[in-house]
Each structure stands twice: as structure tokens, then as C-alpha cells.
Amino acid sequence: MSQQLPLSAAAEEFLAENALCTLTTLRPDGTPHVAPVRFTWDGEAGLARVMTTVHRRKSRNLLAAAGGRAAVCQLVGPRWITLEGPATVSTDPPRVVEGMRRYAKRYWSQPPQPPGLAVIEIEVDRVMGLY
């Protein structure tokens, strides 16, 4: 099933579950890089956020291709949802703090805070799923 924003109540409820997810970005050679991540969903802003560092492959992929796209996928049993859109990597303190705040709220703990902390923000324009 494909859906436009804003999301249905069922999709929002599913995204509130505490589940492991994957993030897919494209390497400079065009091959996909898929990594397990935790992410948060901001339905009002239409943003999925992933905490990371600027040194990780996922960040480097997005920094190498300005305007590049990314997708996060959450899977629980037969239910799944994928949020996709243009993605940016930011080290801007207010944006990183907002990412950390949302992470702590969803996962009940602060994210790791290694040097080079950054937030990936995906401006979701495509939603697919079965939830």
C-alpha cells in the first residue's frame, strides 16, 4: 500500500512502536548501503530522523550526493512501513538537539554521543507499507 502525508492513524500508531529499522542510502558507486538504525518520526514536519556521526558510511553517502534520497524501513512480523525522501546530514546544534530529544523520548534513553554527532533528516515524500 502507498500513502500520502499526513499518515493514517494506523501508520502513526505503527511508527510509535519501539522497533529496529533499517536505513538505506546509496554509495557513490550507486550500490545500496543498508544499516540497522533507530529512527524517530515527526509527523508534523514530515521528517524521519536518524542519529549518527558525520564519519559513518550512511552520512558520507548523503554528503557525497547533495539532494540524495534515503529510506527507513520498520518491520515487525508481517507488518512494515517504509518512509522515503530527500535526506540531509546536519551538525547544526539545534537540529542535533531536536534529534536527540526525539530519540530519548522514543527509546527511553539518550543516543550515544561520539565525536562528530549528526542527525540525518529525511523529508518524507513517499510512504509504503502494510501495517
Side-chain angles (χ1 to χ4, degrees):
M1 168 183 16
S2 184
Q3 182 176 326
Q4 298 294 327
L5 297 178
L7 298 181
S8 68
E12 292 283 352
E13 185 176 308
F14 183 58
L15 285 168
E17 293 182 22
N18 187 344
L20 188 62
C21 309
T22 60
L23 171 72
T24 302
T25 58
L26 295 178
R27 293 181 182 97
D29 69 2
T31 60
H33 173 259
V34 182
V37 297
R38 289 179 160 186
F39 81 95
T40 61
W41 168 242
D42 179 349
E44 290 181 17
L47 290 176
R49 292 181 177 91
V50 175
M51 298 307 301
T52 189
T53 72
V54 294
H55 311 291
R56 301 300 302 256
R57 168 52 55 197
K58 54 184 141 298
S59 295
R60 294 192 331 259
N61 289 342
L62 293 168
L63 290 168
R69 296 179 68 81
V72 288
C73 181
Q74 177 171 297
L75 174 70
V76 178
R79 300 174 305 140
W80 63 276
I81 191 166
T82 298
L83 307 175
E84 179 184 326
T88 57
V89 178
S90 178
T91 58
D92 178 54
R95 292 166 74 179
V96 170
V97 167
E98 180 63 11
M100 290 174 57
R101 184 187 73 77
R102 289 177 179 277
Y103 180 105
K105 183 178 178 183
R106 179 173 185 186
Y107 296 106
W108 308 299
S109 66
Q110 289 293 318
Q113 296 179 37
L117 190 62
V119 62
I120 294 173
E121 296 176 331
I122 303 170
E123 296 178 41
V124 176
D125 62 11
R126 183 178 297 161
V127 179
M128 298 162 284
L130 179 61
Y131 37 82

